[in-house]
Amino acid sequence: VAVFVGFTDQIAALEMPFDLTGTTYVSNASNGVGFLFDTAATTDTIRAVGVATDTDATHVDTSLAYVGDTYRKLRIEVDTAGVAKFWIDGVLKATLSAAVTAATALVPVIAGYANAAASRVFTVDYLHVAQDRI
């Protein structure tokens, strides 16, 4: 299974903003930032990922995984310089410099798919998106 929770600039067609196979990341979005979990990875953990104008940020492995029947509270903050901070369950897990191009309009996305024929279910309890208008 693969799950991405974050923001992307891609809105024209359905696309997984990031993929991870083994230890190889692929950013499909030109600008995007978020949490990536992919069981096709060598290690099944949640990663903090970003791409700014087709240049990948240095990804961070949080060393945490999703657990069945257990909610995770994910939070991303992006400043005006494109620096992103990632929290999981209230704990800061990563800070990515040049994670995204701050001037690019992004849309929130929660994307998931099954890598195999078996179906999977993931539950989203709530989504809160806010912008500082100052």
Side-chain angles (χ1 to χ4, degrees):
V1 67
V3 177
F4 176 82
V5 177
F7 299 89
T8 182
D9 64 344
Q10 202 281 336
I11 58 172
L14 181 61
E15 165 187 86
M16 190 67 166
F18 292 85
D19 289 307
L20 175 58
T21 301
T23 59
T24 304
Y25 290 91
V26 175
S27 54
N28 300 308
S30 293
N31 284 283
V33 61
F35 292 97
L36 174 65
F37 176 80
D38 197 330
T39 58
T42 302
T43 307
D44 297 342
T45 52
I46 302 167
R47 318 299 169 96
V49 298
V51 60
T53 316
D54 293 316
T55 300
D56 292 343
T58 302
H59 306 99
V60 175
D61 185 343
T62 68
S63 299
L64 297 174
Y66 291 110
V67 178
D69 299 322
T70 303
Y71 283 97
R72 289 255 186 233
K73 186 175 182 181
L74 306 176
R75 176 179 173 173
I76 304 167
E77 288 184 6
V78 179
D79 69 16
T80 57
V83 175
K85 293 184 178 183
F86 297 80
W87 284 267
I88 299 178
D89 298 327
V91 177
L92 181 63
K93 290 294 181 179
T95 300
L96 300 184
S97 298
V100 70
T101 304
T104 301
L106 301 175
V107 295
V109 62
I110 300 172
Y113 67 89
N115 292 329
S119 64
R120 300 287 188 247
V121 175
F122 66 95
T123 304
V124 176
D125 184 42
Y126 70 93
L127 173 65
H128 175 87
V129 179
Q131 177 180 335
D132 184 1
R133 295 183 179 168
I134 296 175

